Amino acid sequence: MEIQTNRLDRGFYKYQQEFEDAALRTLRSGWYIMGKELSSFEEQFAEYIGAKYCVGLGNGLDALWLAFRILGIGSGDEVIVQGNTYIASVMGITINGATPVFVEPDEYFNIDTDKIEEKITAKTKAVLVVHLYGQASQMDKIADICKKHDLRLVEDCAQSHGSGFKGTITGTFGDIGCFSFYPSKNIGAFGDGGAIVTDDEALAKEMRIYRNYGSEKRYYNKVVGTNSRLDEIQAALLKVRLKHAHELNEEKQAIAAEYDARLNNPLIELPRVREGADHIYHQYVIRCKERNRLMEYLKDKGISTIIHYPIPPHLAQAYEYLGHKKGDYPVTEACADEVLSIPMYNGMLKEEQDYTIDVLNAFV
Ligand SMILES: *Cc1c(COP(=O)(O)O)cnc(C)c1O
C-alpha cells in the first residue's frame, strides 16, 4: 500500500461542489482582487477566531514580518522565539532587522515557558509564540510574562487554526495573531494566502495600508508598504474551508486519537498534549531515537513521512551571521534529530491508518 504524508486531493473532493461553486462565482464576477469575497472572508474569519479584525494577506510569512513592522520592531530590537520552529517564524523577525533570541522547547514541542525570562534583556521588545504542529502553547504563563516585562505578544498561528488554550482561541492572546493558508494548513487555500487578526483597530488599519503599497487612498502612499493581498478566488475558497473548519479539525483529532490508542511500539514516543491545550494535529509528530532508520523502514513499506524540521533555524546557513553553533540549543537539536510527522490528513481511510499503525508497531 502507498500512503502519502498528506493528500490534498481528498480535502478538495470532500467538498468538491462547494469549492467549484465558489471558484466559478468568483471567476464570473469580474472582480478578482480586494472585493467582497475578501471582505466577507475577513469578517467570518475574525468571528471564527474571536477577534475584532482580520486583514487578509498574501501568505503567512507576510503576516509575520508585517506584524513586526507595524509594531515598530526592527533594527536593534530582540524578539524571543522558540528554537524548533519553521524558518518563516524567524524570517518574520529578521526581515525587519530585529534579532531572534531562541528559547528551547518543552516536551510538547512548544516554547519552554520556564526559560523565557532568562532571555529577556533591555533590547527585548516582543515574544513570538508558535503553536507548533497545532497544539496551543501555554498562553496564560506567556501572557503574564509579556505583561510583567511590557513586551509585545505576537502569535504564529500558521499551524493552529481554531486551536485554543483554556477556551480561548489562539491568535487572540496578544497584539497580533498571524495565519498562513498554505494548502496543507488546517484551513488551507488552493495557492498562497495569509491573514492577521487583532483587536486593535489602529493596527488593523495600519495593516490594510501596508498590504497595499502603503496607501489608504489610491495613489497617496503614506509608507513604503508591500503588495500582499489575499485574492478574491482564494478568499471565496477559504470561506468553504472555514465553514467546515470545526469538522475538519475534529476529523484530524479522531485520527490522532486512533494513533494514540493503537500505536504501542516502545521505540516510538507519541505526541503529548498539555492540560488545558487543544491540539488540532496540523501534524502528528512522533519521536524516535533511530528516526532516520525508522523513516527508511517506512519508505520501504510504502509510507512516506516528513521531518518538521531537519535543520533548526539557528543552524541554517541563512543565519550563520547570528553566530550560533551546533550544541548551543541541545533540546531543539534533539527535536530536529528525532521528530517524524506520520500520515495525517482529512479524508484518511481506515485501511490506510490501520496499515500505518501495523507497520509502525512492527518496527524493531
Ligand atoms: C506555514 C508556516 C508559516 C509560513 O506560511 P506561508 O504561508 O508558507 O508563508 C509560518 N510559520 C509557521 C509555523 C508555518 O508552519
Side-chain angles (χ1 to χ4, degrees):
M1 203 187 285
E2 288 288 323
I3 300 176
Q4 306 300 311
T5 321
N6 201 346
R7 288 289 302 264
L8 297 178
D9 54 334
R10 299 267 176 87
F12 166 67
Y13 286 112
K14 204 170 159 85
Y15 308 111
Q16 178 180 8
Q17 195 59 53
E18 289 177 73
F19 285 129
E20 290 181 355
D21 289 348
L24 266 183
R25 177 181 75 231
T26 313
L27 290 173
R28 288 171 176 166
S29 74
W31 193 285
Y32 306 117
I33 287 185
M34 304 272 265
K36 56 182 195 291
E37 297 293 344
L38 175 61
S39 53
S40 58
F41 171 73
E42 288 175 336
E43 272 171 36
Q44 290 170 22
F45 192 70
E47 193 187 330
Y48 173 72
I49 299 298
K52 281 195 187 138
Y53 308 98
C54 166
V55 182
L57 299 165
N59 56 66
L61 175 62
D62 286 352
L64 288 159
W65 78 260
L66 287 168
F68 290 110
R69 181 67 55 95
I70 64 172
L71 290 171
I73 293 169
S75 184
D77 298 331
E78 293 177 355
V79 177
I80 287 173
V81 63
Q82 71 195 62
N84 63 325
T85 185
Y86 181 48
I87 199 117
S89 315
V90 181
M91 287 191 181
I93 297 166
T94 59
I95 286 170
N96 291 292
T99 303
V101 174
F102 298 111
V103 172
E104 297 271 45
D106 58 19
E107 68 266 40
Y108 307 98
F109 300 120
N110 279 327
I111 194 166
D112 188 336
T113 53
D114 291 332
K115 296 181 181 161
I116 295 176
E117 285 192 286
E118 65 200 49
K119 297 286 182 132
I120 295 174
T121 71
K123 292 180 179 171
T124 310
K125 290 285 156 38
V127 174
L128 173 61
V129 176
V130 188
H131 307 290
L132 202 69
Y133 308 141
Q135 176 166 196
S137 302
Q138 197 179 8
M139 292 315 298
D140 45 3
K141 269 190 85 174
I142 296 166
D144 283 349
I145 292 169
C146 289
K147 197 168 281 169
K148 182 174 155 201
H149 296 274
D150 196 22
L151 303 177
R152 296 291 204 162
L153 175 53
V154 178
E155 291 172 80
D156 182 340
C157 306
Q159 304 187 359
S160 70
H161 313 73
S163 189
F165 186 76
K166 296 187 176 167
T168 303
I169 306 291
T170 53
T172 61
F173 287 92
D175 297 284
I176 299 176
C178 304
F179 289 84
S180 163
F181 304 121
Y182 184 78
S184 66
K185 310 293 188 184
N186 282 45
I187 294 179
F190 293 80
D192 277 311
I196 60 105
V197 298
T198 183
D199 281 344
D200 186 326
E201 189 180 359
L203 288 177
K205 188 174 166 203
E206 202 67 5
M207 190 59 89
R208 288 181 202 286
I209 291 170
Y210 264 92
R211 76 171 168 188
N212 196 24
Y213 295 108
S215 79
E216 192 176 5
K217 190 173 156 203
R218 205 172 204 177
Y219 306 129
Y220 289 80
N221 303 81
K222 197 182 123 181
V223 289
V224 180
T226 189
N227 171 0
S228 185
R229 302 173 296 219
L230 182 63
D231 295 345
E232 285 289 278
I233 197 160
Q234 298 302 342
L237 294 165
L238 281 165
K239 282 195 286 182
V240 176
R241 274 289 195 228
L242 187 56
K243 194 172 130 199
H244 300 291
H246 188 67
E247 71 199 66
L248 288 167
N249 280 346
E250 280 192 333
E251 184 189 356
K252 285 189 141 189
Q253 287 167 332
I255 294 167
E258 200 68 15
Y259 276 141
D260 289 343
R262 292 170 54 202
L263 286 174
N264 58 16
N265 189 326
L267 299 175
I268 293 169
E269 205 181 302
L270 303 184
R272 300 175 204 187
V273 182
R274 186 194 306 278
E275 181 88 43
D278 295 339
H279 200 325
I280 58 162
Y281 298 96
H282 169 59
Q283 302 296 345
Y284 189 93
V285 179
I286 59 172
R287 281 184 92 134
C288 179
K289 295 271 185 229
E290 295 181 82
R291 192 267 319 277
N292 293 347
R293 192 167 69 79
L294 174 62
M295 197 174 182
E296 276 304 306
Y297 159 84
L298 291 168
K299 198 175 149 210
D300 282 347
K301 305 277 184 196
I303 299 171
S304 61
T305 54
I306 306 185
I307 302 166
H308 294 103
Y309 300 93
I311 302 170
H314 74 278
L315 298 178
Q317 193 184 346
Y319 289 122
E320 262 173 21
Y321 73 90
L322 294 172
H324 300 294
K325 58 182 188 314
K326 206 168 166 73
D328 284 353
Y329 299 93
V331 185
T332 296
E333 291 165 24
C335 288
D337 292 339
E338 295 173 13
V339 296
L340 193 65
S341 304
I342 63 173
M344 158 63 74
Y345 46 87
N346 290 115
M348 189 175 195
L349 303 176
K350 184 172 179 337
E351 60 258 37
E352 291 171 334
Q353 192 176 21
D354 287 348
Y355 176 71
T356 305
I357 290 169
D358 290 344
V359 170
L360 278 162
N361 283 341
F363 176 68
V364 286

